[in-house]
Amino acid sequence: MKIILNESNKKYNETLQGLRGLAIILIVLSHCNYIQNEYGKNIFASAGGLGVQIFIMLSGYLAIMNYYNYRSFPSINSYIKRKLKKFYPLHFITLIFALPFIFKSILNGKFESVLERIVLNLLLLQSYIPDMSIYFSLNATSWYLSTAFFFIVLTPKIIKLIDFTVNEIGASICIIAIVFVQYLLFYLCADSQIAHWLLYICPAVRILDFVLGGVHVCCFTKE
């Protein structure tokens, strides 16, 4: 299977950049409180979730697209190292800059708690803990890196899964199944205490978006 890009490469790349731009705008709007409803809440509060979903789906789409373009995949160790080199140095730097903001917690005798959060952030494990004070600790946005690293590690397995859906019918069935599971999770867990973590942060749930993006590759390919 080979993805047809050829002469439309430029237009194709511009489309992806446009989707990234839309995702960024949605996330920024969700963190602004300039436009509020009658209850004093940001009317774009839920837009950030859609923006994050777009980013995750694009990651899955591009990962699988690259595999089918070159029909090869590097060893998992080299793949992980290459990905870590892209974002981990900056992650480490932002973590260092975030340390002064938890100095007060250290003075209040919460050293063990602070140390736990630092270690979890360093190991990119904070998104696995259903506690907002942990998965949003230090550089709060690094929860996304923690979750995304889960996708990176499982990408070879996801490729094997998607190899079973190399036609539009198989891809369509997979897409419907994933969307059904996502709505079912939302219906069952939306009012639970861990709803925010489970539906927005949890790597095991957000990987559904990654797979959803990857499966869409099969809809734009030919043998």
Side-chain angles (χ1 to χ4, degrees):
M1 186 164 61
K2 184 77 171 178
I3 294 178
I4 309 299
L5 295 180
N6 48 59
E7 296 179 357
S8 62
N9 267 353
K10 183 177 180 180
K11 184 177 180 180
Y12 174 83
N13 289 330
E14 288 177 349
T15 300
L16 294 184
Q17 293 300 332
L19 286 173
R20 286 194 181 100
L22 173 62
I24 291 172
I25 291 173
L26 291 174
I27 292 172
V28 170
L29 287 175
S30 72
H31 287 84
C32 295
N33 291 316
Y34 303 117
I35 306 178
Q36 299 179 347
N37 59 22
E38 57 185 307
Y39 302 105
K41 301 292 185 180
N42 178 9
I43 64 172
F44 297 108
S46 60
L50 177 59
V52 170
Q53 186 175 33
I54 292 173
F55 268 120
I56 295 176
M57 289 181 65
L58 279 176
S59 297
Y61 186 87
L62 291 171
I64 307 304
M65 183 196 69
N66 288 333
Y67 167 75
Y68 282 124
N69 265 334
Y70 301 105
R71 205 59 194 181
S72 63
F73 192 83
S75 69
I76 185 60
N77 288 336
S78 62
Y79 181 72
I80 290 175
K81 288 179 181 178
R82 188 177 70 192
K83 291 293 184 179
L84 283 174
K85 286 181 180 178
K86 287 185 176 181
F87 69 81
Y88 198 84
L90 183 58
H91 166 60
F92 183 78
I93 292 172
T94 55
L95 189 151
I96 296 298
F97 276 104
L99 289 178
F101 295 97
I102 59 174
F103 185 68
K104 185 177 180 180
S105 295
I106 298 176
L107 293 179
N108 290 335
K110 299 180 181 179
F111 178 75
E112 291 184 0
S113 176
V114 169
L115 182 61
E116 176 190 27
R117 296 174 189 181
I118 293 174
V119 171
L120 288 172
N121 272 262
L122 282 172
L123 298 178
L124 295 174
L125 296 175
Q126 68 270 37
S127 64
Y128 297 87
I129 311 299
D131 184 339
M132 187 177 292
S133 66
I134 292 180
Y135 60 74
F136 277 169
S137 62
L138 297 167
N139 176 20
T141 56
S142 65
W143 74 264
Y144 181 84
L145 298 180
S146 174
T147 299
F149 188 64
F150 182 71
F151 311 152
I152 292 170
V153 172
L154 289 186
T155 295
K157 299 294 183 183
I158 294 171
I159 287 173
K160 290 182 180 180
L161 170 66
I162 292 178
D163 267 336
F164 289 105
T165 60
V166 292
N167 56 68
E168 292 187 9
I169 295 177
S172 298
I173 293 173
C174 191
I175 290 170
I176 292 172
I178 291 174
V179 172
F180 174 77
V181 171
Q182 288 178 321
Y183 273 100
L184 182 63
L185 283 171
F186 181 82
Y187 177 77
L188 295 175
C189 307
D191 296 325
S192 69
Q193 292 183 346
I194 61 170
H196 183 266
W197 171 78
L198 185 65
L199 302 174
Y200 189 72
I201 304 291
C202 180
V205 173
R206 295 319 299 257
I207 200 170
L208 292 174
D209 292 322
F210 187 83
V211 175
L212 191 61
V215 169
H216 274 80
V217 171
C218 303
C219 299
F220 302 96
T221 56
K222 292 184 179 181
E223 296 289 343

